Amino acid sequence: MYLNYCRALQFDEAPDYVYLRQLFRLLFRTMNFQYDYVFDWTVLKQQKSSANTLSNSKQDATESPTADKNREYTVSPKTHQL
């Protein structure tokens, strides 16, 4: 519906943004998504920073001969449910 609407627009015709937003809201509700204010790019950024932190911590522990050997490094992954 969205693509058909967009393709049918003339070059100088302004789109009906209220209608287009309504299409996406209806799809969102139809798919039973929950609006949790968590965005895909936020989750990816958190996963990358967690992976970097973990690799830096492991690297520090292996490089330092006086590193505390009883120290554990754990990362709890955050799950993202739509």
Side-chain angles (χ1 to χ4, degrees):
M1 292 172 77
Y2 173 80
L3 288 178
N4 290 336
Y5 177 84
C6 292
R7 287 181 181 153
L9 286 173
Q10 297 298 317
F11 180 77
D12 57 349
E13 189 178 1
D16 182 359
Y17 292 111
V18 173
Y19 168 73
L20 294 173
R21 275 190 233 115
Q22 181 183 5
L23 284 178
F24 283 104
R25 284 188 185 121
L26 181 63
L27 177 64
F28 192 82
R29 279 184 266 149
T30 303
M31 300 296 291
N32 291 325
F33 289 141
Q34 297 290 324
Y35 194 70
D36 57 3
Y37 299 96
V38 177
F39 303 102
D40 291 343
W41 55 86
T42 307
V43 172
L44 291 173
K45 186 176 180 181
Q46 288 174 349
Q47 288 173 349
K48 283 182 182 180
S49 67
S50 294
N52 287 342
T53 303
L54 180 62
S55 66
N56 288 342
S57 297
K58 284 184 178 180
Q59 195 174 40
D60 290 344
T62 58
E63 289 176 359
S64 173
T66 59
D68 184 10
K69 294 184 181 184
N70 294 327
R71 197 160 134 196
E72 293 182 25
Y73 297 98
T74 59
V75 175
S76 58
K78 297 194 180 227
T79 59
H80 178 63
Q81 297 178 356
L82 295 177

